[in-house]
Amino acid sequence: MFKRIAWGIVFLLLSVLTLGYVFRMPITQWAIAPSLSQSGVELHCLDWSLNSNVSLSVNRLCLTYQGHQIELGGIVADTKKITVGRANLRLNNSESDPSSNEPFKKLALNLPKERPKIEIKRLLITHPQLHDELTVSIDEERLNTFVVSGDVTAEIAVNNHKVAGRFNLADGLLTKIKPIPALTLNSVHAFTFDGLTVDIKSDIDAEFTQAFSQCPVMLNAFGDVNTHYHLNDNKVSLDTQQLTSWVAFDSTCLALINNQSQREFIVKQLPLKWQIMISDTIKFENEQLVMPSMLLNAKNSDAKLSLTNLAINLQQPLEQAKGDIKLLFISEDIEQVEVNAALNNLAINGEYQLRIDELPNFLPASAKKIASTGQFKIANVLQLQQNVDITSELAFAELKFDKLTAKDYKAQFTTELDDKQNIKASLNSQLSSVAYEQYQLLDVNNHLSASSSLAVGELFVDLNSETKLAQFNSDFLNLSNIRISSKGLQSRALQASHHVFIDGVELVASHHISAVEHPFEITIAEQAATKLNPVLQQFEPLATLTDGSFNGVVRGDVNLQQAEFTLQVEQLSGLYNDYLAKQFSSRLTGNYNSGQLNVAPTTFELNELRAGAVVSNMTGNLSVDNSVARAYQLTGDVLGGRFALDSYKVTNEAQQSLVTFENIDASKLITLDDKSGITLTGRVNGRLPVYFDKQGVSVKSGELSNQGTGKLIITDNAAFDAVKAQQQELSPILSLLEDLDIQGLKSSVDLNPDGWLYLGVNLKGYNEAQAQQVNFNYNHEENVFTLLRALRLSDEITQKVEQEYSTKGTKND
């Protein structure tokens, strides 16, 4: 009976053991899963068996911890050691796995004080962001202390609340994580992890080289970096104060500059090596990068770039960024470049200073003592609706460009752009002098303003300008007191009008500039001709306009160098030395084309001309053909008769003109002084061929003859009486001339360019008192210039006339 009961118990136990072994998988998971779950570990699969030596063999074990999955296989476990033949660790991609949203917790692993040690012969690690999978082996030399070898070299110590260790990061590992061919890295990192935070102390020696357009740039960093990362709060802090970093540009970059002068200049100015210095902790928090201070300091140079109080949103780095920026650049040829700016999201405010003693010689222009300062405010930098406020000042002592030289330039520039995209800009500039070849401008002041709207489809710019010039000088003309008021509209082309005052002369000009044409129109309002005296007297210092008015219109195209014009002159009067012209009137119509000036034939009138003899009621015709002026068919009253000039051209080429006289009053021609005792009555005709050449003016084979009868009376003429007294034998003959009825008078006229006049006079008449017929031949020589001087108005009369007309001219100014 006892034996039967014993066998029954044994059979029952064997049955239980057999059933337990057969159902070992669900029973094990039911027993182990709750304890693992307390540590945040989920058990998904377990397949084990017992070996013949009563050791545990696990063919497959699947675990999940915070979204990371590990699959173990080929496990052999006994009381001293657990050996894992193979393992696959699939790390979670926190951006795609929903479970990654679960908060991290402090480590509470509840590790047993005694357990078999673990060895993993081959662990395969994968992650969506890894370039290649990592293969490592893990050996637990001491309890909870693991040595990692393979692709990763590390030593890790695990306890209930912390994981700590060291690992190396080098080029070979980087090629599998994320290949960076230009990076050379050798670093050692010590870390601690408590489930919520990671602290890493790194010793880094890295070098990175990148070529931009065949320009190698090298970044070198070495030293210690301390990193703290809070997993739930996503807070990262970097302490890089013990890290030394350099950015260096290779000298071969300068070979990209083909111009040798530019290359030599940049070599002297631009430092190739810069040190990056971060004096405080860098923080990443709430998707923001906070950097209290960073300084880029050029080696062997005073150039510095500093960033302070920098805060950047990593999701929107351009739209949300704050910080202060300061640039200071001083070099051999640049005295100072300084920029101070404050960045506040999409707004930037700042100021700048620039000082350069002289521009580099490779530039097309040269300038000395250049200085510029300014302030700027820009809001909504990356948006269409921007706000801009810029104020700038520029000055230089001298600027030379080609044949242009400008001295003592000062300018103030302002521009404003509001949120409705209305823009306003102004430029106030001053120049002491501007010279171009023989042209010179003195004391130039200009105010230019522009306004527009950037919100419309097509851009229209309204322009206004006020320009004042104290003096315009050239080899042939000097002008003063110049003022120009301009208005314009710039769209696809420029349309502008200008109100110009030059020494009191007023005119209005308008023009239209496009890519193919540049038409213009100049309107000269009717105004006093005396305003032209400052210009006229530069060409003829002895000339003065005393009365009259003028007006005109000029239309043309600058690009085509063509113009048409109309000029009206009314009642123009003036003085030249002691010559007087009164009331000249004409209307000139012409054109300018291909460098040639043409004026259509037109008439003119001149009421009076005093040039020795008084010429009145003069009329004639004017024209200009291919820049050669011609006066023709001139007629007028002179010496009681009429004269006519067939044609005269204003040219250096030799020419001949014919002057004819009709019905000239002989008494006015001969009698100069009533006290002379000589009177001549009658009428005279004449024909004078006048020649103009390089030697001067001459008359050849001219003729004078009487028209009808005349009379010659000589009484009490001292010179005539002296001749009779000295030459008694001629006295009877000469006495016949004292009372002579002239029947015929002929004279040949020749004038040399030196002014000498030769007259061959043949006089025929009858002396009634002596009943004697007279035939008198006489040759006379006299310098015509002296004669004309004798015929002019006396100085006293001229001064009175000039005073009278100058007074009238002043009233007409």
Side-chain angles (χ1 to χ4, degrees):
M1 183 69 180
F2 179 77
K3 184 176 180 181
R4 211 182 257 186
I5 292 173
W7 280 107
I9 294 172
V10 171
F11 178 77
L12 180 61
L13 290 173
L14 290 175
S15 298
V16 171
L17 290 174
T18 300
L19 291 173
Y21 186 75
V22 171
F23 296 99
R24 65 188 183 278
M25 307 302 178
I27 294 174
T28 307
Q29 292 189 38
W30 172 76
I32 298 177
S35 62
L36 293 176
S37 179
Q38 294 178 0
S39 301
V41 179
E42 297 181 9
L43 177 64
H44 294 286
C45 68
L46 177 61
D47 183 8
W48 60 274
S49 61
L50 294 175
N51 295 331
S52 57
N53 55 0
V54 198
S55 61
L56 180 65
S57 177
V58 180
N59 294 325
R60 188 169 179 237
L61 174 63
C62 304
L63 301 173
T64 299
Y65 177 73
Q66 294 187 349
H68 306 293
Q69 300 177 5
I70 185 170
E71 181 180 348
L72 306 175
I75 302 174
V76 177
D78 55 25
T79 57
K80 295 183 178 180
K81 191 172 186 179
I82 299 175
T83 302
V84 180
R86 65 184 186 283
N88 294 324
L89 175 60
R90 288 185 293 276
L91 297 174
N92 174 51
N93 187 347
S94 59
E95 296 181 355
S96 59
D97 189 352
S99 63
S100 61
N101 294 326
E102 297 180 3
F104 289 89
K105 301 177 181 178
K106 280 280 190 178
L107 286 181
L109 298 180
N110 194 18
L111 299 177
K113 295 182 179 180
E114 292 185 4
R115 61 168 178 78
K117 294 179 181 179
I118 299 174
E119 178 185 2
I120 302 176
K121 293 184 177 181
R122 184 177 180 274
L123 171 60
L124 190 64
I125 303 174
T126 59
H127 187 275
Q129 296 182 357
L130 284 177
H131 184 265
D132 290 324
E133 56 189 20
L134 300 179
T135 303
V136 298
S137 59
I138 301 174
D139 186 17
E140 187 177 12
E141 296 181 345
R142 302 188 305 275
L143 188 62
N144 298 328
T145 300
F146 302 91
V147 176
V148 182
S149 59
D151 291 337
V152 179
T153 302
E155 182 178 338
I156 303 172
V158 180
N159 59 36
N160 292 335
H161 304 290
K162 183 174 67 174
V163 178
R166 295 171 60 87
F167 66 92
N168 296 337
L169 189 60
D171 300 340
L173 179 57
L174 281 179
T175 57
K176 292 198 171 188
I177 298 176
K178 189 173 184 178
I180 306 177
L183 177 63
T184 300
L185 175 65
N186 185 14
S187 60
V188 178
H189 309 268
F191 70 92
T192 59
F193 171 62
D194 62 2
L196 289 178
T197 62
V198 178
D199 288 291
I200 303 175
K201 294 183 178 180
S202 305
D203 182 6
I204 297 175
D205 185 359
E207 183 177 295
F208 176 76
T209 303
Q210 180 67 49
F212 299 94
S213 299
Q214 300 179 352
C215 175
V217 180
M218 183 179 67
L219 173 63
N220 180 258
F222 58 90
D224 296 334
V225 177
N226 294 328
T227 305
H228 175 79
Y229 181 32
H230 194 288
L231 301 178
N232 285 338
D233 296 340
N234 288 325
K235 292 182 179 180
V236 180
S237 63
L238 293 175
D239 185 355
T240 61
Q241 298 182 59
Q242 302 302 317
L243 183 68
T244 301
S245 302
W246 292 92
V247 176
F249 298 86
D250 196 279
S251 59
T252 58
C253 296
L254 300 173
L256 299 175
I257 304 173
N258 297 325
N259 187 292
Q260 183 177 357
S261 299
Q262 296 179 8
R263 185 167 57 250
E264 291 175 353
F265 175 81
I266 294 176
V267 167
K268 292 193 297 182
Q269 317 308 320
L270 186 63
L272 295 179
K273 192 171 185 180
W274 296 72
Q275 184 179 7
I276 303 175
M277 303 175 65
I278 300 176
S279 58
D280 210 333
T281 301
I282 302 174
K283 296 181 179 180
F284 297 87
E285 183 177 353
N286 297 327
E287 298 183 343
Q288 271 203 338
L289 167 66
V290 179
M291 183 182 299
S293 175
M294 184 178 74
L295 175 65
L296 272 73
N297 197 4
K299 185 178 181 181
N300 301 325
S301 174
D302 292 328
K304 297 178 181 179
L305 174 62
S306 65
L307 303 175
T308 55
N309 304 318
L310 184 64
I312 301 175
N313 187 294
L314 299 181
Q315 297 297 324
Q316 296 177 310
L318 298 178
E319 290 81 356
Q320 298 184 29
K322 296 181 180 181
D324 298 323
I325 305 170
K326 182 175 182 179
L327 171 65
L328 177 62
F329 188 88
I330 300 174
S331 65
E332 181 176 344
D333 296 306
I334 300 176
E335 293 184 8
Q336 181 183 12
V337 175
E338 185 173 352
V339 179
N340 293 292
L343 178 65
N344 187 2
N345 295 333
L346 293 178
I348 182 169
N349 301 337
E351 59 184 14
Y352 77 91
Q353 295 184 22
L354 170 67
R355 292 202 310 270
I356 302 176
D357 186 64
E358 188 172 0
L359 287 179
N361 55 16
F362 61 80
L363 294 177
S366 64
K368 296 181 179 179
K369 301 297 181 182
I370 305 165
S372 181
T373 60
Q375 299 82 37
F376 52 89
K377 295 180 180 179
I378 305 174
N380 305 322
V381 175
L382 300 179
Q383 298 180 4
L384 295 178
Q385 305 297 323
Q386 296 182 357
N387 290 73
V388 178
D389 189 351
I390 299 175
T391 302
S392 180
E393 296 182 359
L394 174 65
F396 56 76
E398 182 180 80
L399 172 69
K400 291 184 178 181
F401 179 74
D402 195 17
K403 298 178 182 180
L404 177 70
T405 301
K407 293 185 178 180
D408 296 331
Y409 176 78
K410 295 180 180 179
Q412 299 84 35
F413 172 77
T414 62
T415 184
E416 296 179 4
L417 176 64
D418 62 23
D419 54 2
K420 296 181 180 179
Q421 298 302 280
N422 296 316
I423 185 170
K424 296 180 179 180
S426 66
L427 175 66
N428 293 318
S429 56
Q430 302 173 355
L431 271 167
S432 64
S433 67
V434 182
Y436 181 79
E437 292 185 338
Q438 77 270 26
Y439 305 103
Q440 184 184 45
L441 304 177
L442 300 178
D443 293 336
V444 182
N445 291 271
N446 174 260
H447 173 75
L448 175 65
S449 62
S451 61
S452 180
S453 175
L454 303 180
V456 297
E458 184 174 351
L459 183 64
F460 293 87
V461 182
D462 291 314
L463 300 170
N464 288 276
S465 175
E466 290 286 339
T467 304
K468 294 182 179 180
L469 292 82
Q471 193 74 31
F472 168 82
N473 298 328
S474 67
D475 292 345
F476 62 91
L477 179 65
N478 296 326
L479 303 174
S480 59
N481 301 322
I482 302 171
R483 180 165 58 89
I484 304 173
S485 299
S486 303
K487 292 185 177 181
L489 176 64
Q490 173 68 57
S491 55
R492 298 179 183 178
L494 172 64
Q495 299 179 8
S497 62
H498 312 275
H499 200 174
V500 184
F501 297 86
I502 304 175
D503 276 326
V505 177
E506 181 180 2
L507 57 90
V508 176
S510 61
H511 59 105
H512 178 96
I513 301 177
S514 68
V516 294
E517 59 181 359
H518 187 176
F520 69 91
E521 178 177 315
I522 300 174
T523 303
I524 305 172
E526 184 173 352
Q527 51 201 293
T530 53
K531 295 180 179 180
L532 297 174
N533 279 326
V535 176
L536 176 63
Q537 291 174 356
Q538 294 179 50
F539 299 96
E540 294 294 344
L542 300 178
T544 302
L545 298 175
T546 59
D547 207 348
S549 64
F550 68 98
N551 64 82
V553 177
V554 182
R555 297 183 180 91
D557 192 292
V558 175
N559 292 347
L560 300 177
Q561 295 189 2
Q562 295 178 352
E564 296 180 351
F565 63 88
T566 299
L567 178 64
Q568 181 80 35
V569 180
E570 294 286 348
Q571 304 295 309
L572 183 67
S573 301
L575 293 168
Y576 180 79
N577 196 0
D578 47 9
Y579 300 115
L580 172 65
K582 295 175 60 178
Q583 298 178 356
F584 173 86
S585 299
S586 183
R587 179 181 176 85
L588 306 177
T589 302
N591 64 78
Y592 177 86
N593 192 357
S594 301
Q596 298 296 327
L597 177 66
N598 293 277
V599 176
T602 186
T603 61
F604 72 89
E605 297 177 357
L606 178 62
N607 185 54
E608 184 176 282
L609 174 64
R610 293 178 179 267
V614 178
V615 181
S616 60
N617 301 321
M618 184 185 299
T619 62
N621 296 281
L622 294 173
S623 68
V624 179
D625 298 315
N626 294 329
S627 300
V628 178
R630 183 170 72 103
Y632 60 99
Q633 297 178 358
L634 272 68
T635 62
D637 298 336
V638 63
L639 300 175
R642 297 284 293 174
F643 87 96
L645 171 67
D646 64 344
S647 178
Y648 172 71
K649 293 182 178 180
V650 184
T651 177
N652 293 327
E653 296 180 359
Q655 60 177 310
Q656 178 184 353
S657 299
L658 179 62
V659 180
T660 59
F661 298 93
E662 295 180 357
N663 203 28
I664 299 298
D665 186 349
S667 64
K668 295 182 179 180
L669 178 65
I670 300 300
T671 304
L672 304 177
D673 190 349
D674 293 339
K675 298 179 181 179
S676 65
I678 300 176
T679 59
L680 177 66
T681 61
R683 295 289 172 174
V684 178
N685 294 334
R687 181 179 180 277
L688 301 179
V690 183
Y691 296 86
F692 303 89
D693 53 25
K694 293 181 179 179
Q695 283 72 36
V697 181
S698 62
V699 176
K700 298 178 182 181
S701 302
E703 298 177 356
L704 291 175
S705 61
N706 66 307
Q707 179 180 346
T709 61
K711 192 173 185 63
L712 174 63
I713 297 176
I714 301 175
T715 57
D716 298 329
N717 185 279
F720 188 78
D721 293 341
V723 172
K724 290 196 300 179
Q726 294 173 1
Q727 301 185 37
Q728 294 293 329
E729 69 278 7
L730 296 179
S731 179
I733 298 174
L734 294 176
S735 63
L736 296 174
L737 299 175
E738 293 178 339
D739 187 0
L740 181 67
D741 293 326
I742 299 174
Q743 299 171 337
L745 174 64
K746 291 184 179 180
S747 175
S748 63
V749 181
D750 290 282
L751 175 66
N752 290 339
D754 57 5
W756 280 97
L757 176 67
Y758 300 92
L759 299 176
V761 181
N762 174 251
L763 180 64
K764 293 181 180 182
Y766 180 75
N767 188 308
E768 184 177 358
Q770 301 184 31
Q772 179 69 44
Q773 194 75 25
V774 177
N775 188 355
F776 183 73
N777 293 312
Y778 172 64
N779 293 324
H780 178 75
E781 297 181 9
E782 186 170 358
N783 192 287
V784 72
F785 299 151
T786 305
L787 176 62
L788 290 175
R789 257 183 234 110
L791 292 174
R792 291 175 193 165
L793 298 173
S794 67
D795 290 341
E796 182 179 355
I797 296 175
T798 301
Q799 290 175 4
K800 290 182 179 180
V801 173
E802 182 178 357
Q803 180 179 2
E804 177 186 356
Y805 279 93
S806 296
T807 303
K808 290 182 179 179
T810 303
K811 293 178 181 178
N812 289 313
D813 281 349

